[in-house]
Amino acid sequence: MRSVLYRLLFSVALLFLSACSSSVQPHATWPAPGRYAVQWKAYLGAGVGEAVYPQFAFIDVYAQQRPHSVPQIHELVLLTDRGPIRAIPQGPVTPGPAHPNHQLFTLLTQVSGLPAGTYTFHEIQYVDEFKQKRRLAVGVWVIEVLPEAANALHEISHSVGATHFSILETEIQNPLPETITLDGLHFALPGLPVTSTMVLEQAAPDHPHSSPASLSDFQLLPFLTIPGALTLAPGEQARLAFLFGPDAVVQHERFVQLKPLLRYHIAAMPAFYSVAQQVYSRPFTDDTEIISYLHALPTAAYHSLP
């Protein structure tokens, strides 16, 4: 759970970098006061019995001065194509820096106990701080639960996302008594024809033999491309990067959440490992950019506030 909370703090920091500037161009006007939901494209993969952690982000716009109360979200439900699914908040909302007329905040939730299958949703329902039942569009989400349990590879370190949807990094160790062959990532981001290329990363020259304590212990270049699959003997480990493309697709995506499955096999037996969830959140540079984003949101991504 500690790593999940760390990812929350990381993504909040990215989303709220807009606080460094509050300039507004003369022609830019704030939209109607109320609550707006950030639109994500998300794929969360898991094995049966494994929880996933959807994270939602919101922007409240106020007619006058920002109120002193903190936004609240209770009784949150995912409105999926297979019926409503309860998502348990993992604590209160996490607000961003204070602005005079708007407030950004996120909420981390947990979804567990789902039967095997694929669940798609575009909207959530919840009760707000005014005891009102609300419904908001939150993008396009897919939760895929495989009928098998995820196998226990050892993930020594991993990335938590980035400001641009371009790369996922992980260091994997084979704890099994048999040799395994890594086949690559499995995921299906809704509406995005994204591919991933698996490559090896080299240790930085000043840490040639050390086990990494963090991603900063490694340099990204030069990559060593893996043609197809990679074999790991018992106890062997590899530092991997998965590069997402094509650029024409991924460079335009502002908010992406991804929890892919790492496919591998032992002899002819297929298996998978659940990779750590990634949050890709391109920050707003100033208030004008926030205003433009809010005006472009679908109507269903907004509701008024008392």
Side-chain angles (χ1 to χ4, degrees), residues 10-296:
F10 175 82
S11 59
V12 167
L14 296 181
L15 188 62
F16 296 155
L17 284 178
S18 60
C20 65
S21 172
S22 60
S23 61
V24 179
Q25 296 178 10
H27 67 275
T29 57
W30 286 93
R35 180 160 297 160
Y36 296 81
V38 168
Q39 303 297 289
W40 297 89
K41 290 184 179 175
Y43 170 88
L44 306 179
V48 67
E50 181 183 358
V52 295
Y53 294 87
Q55 179 177 280
F56 303 103
F58 308 88
I59 302 173
D60 281 3
V61 176
Y62 307 111
Q64 298 177 353
Q65 188 174 0
R66 183 176 60 87
H68 296 292
S69 60
V70 176
Q72 297 180 35
I73 292 180
H74 307 284
E75 302 177 29
L76 193 147
V77 174
L78 314 179
L79 301 177
T80 80
D81 58 345
R82 301 181 62 171
I85 295 173
R86 189 179 180 193
I88 309 300
Q90 302 299 285
V93 302
T94 302
H99 293 263
N101 65 337
H102 70 279
Q103 174 75 68
L104 297 87
F105 64 96
T106 65
L107 179 71
L108 181 70
T109 68
Q110 181 191 66
V111 177
S112 58
L114 294 180
T118 301
Y119 305 79
T120 302
F121 68 95
H122 302 80
E123 295 184 322
I124 60 172
Q125 181 178 284
Y126 68 95
V127 175
D128 68 12
E129 61 267 40
F130 305 102
K131 312 300 182 185
Q132 298 293 311
K133 184 177 288 188
R134 303 294 192 177
R135 184 166 175 161
L136 281 176
V138 289
V140 188
W141 295 69
V142 171
I143 299 175
E144 183 181 17
V145 181
L146 299 189
E148 310 88 12
N151 289 281
L153 297 183
H154 183 202
E155 193 169 28
I156 298 172
S157 63
H158 58 79
S159 59
V160 294
T163 56
H164 290 80
F165 178 41
S166 59
I167 189 172
L168 182 157
E169 298 171 282
T170 182
E171 185 176 24
I172 295 293
Q173 183 180 47
N174 176 17
L176 305 173
E178 302 91 1
T179 295
I180 66 172
T181 301
L182 304 179
D183 300 312
L185 293 183
H186 166 79
F187 62 93
L189 279 166
L192 290 181
V194 176
T195 61
S196 65
T197 301
M198 181 167 61
V199 299
L200 279 170
E201 291 184 0
Q202 281 190 333
D206 54 340
H207 300 286
H209 304 296
S210 62
S211 179
S214 67
L215 295 178
S216 62
D217 288 340
F218 284 83
Q219 60 181 12
L220 292 181
L221 296 175
F223 284 131
L224 301 177
T225 303
I226 303 170
L230 171 69
T231 298
L232 293 181
E236 188 177 3
Q237 63 193 57
R239 181 67 189 177
L240 303 173
F242 296 90
L243 308 180
F244 299 115
D247 289 344
V249 174
V250 300
Q251 67 183 357
H252 299 297
E253 295 306 316
R254 180 156 216 149
F255 298 110
V256 175
Q257 291 186 47
L258 180 63
K259 188 178 186 298
L261 304 172
L262 177 59
R263 293 283 193 180
Y264 68 96
H265 61 271
I266 306 170
M269 182 69 66
F272 69 92
Y273 173 78
S274 291
V275 178
Q277 186 167 329
Q278 310 288 307
V279 177
Y280 301 94
S281 173
R282 181 149 46 93
F284 297 112
T285 56
D286 55 31
D287 284 1
T288 299
E289 196 169 10
I290 297 178
I291 291 170
S292 177
Y293 180 80
L294 295 179
H295 278 296

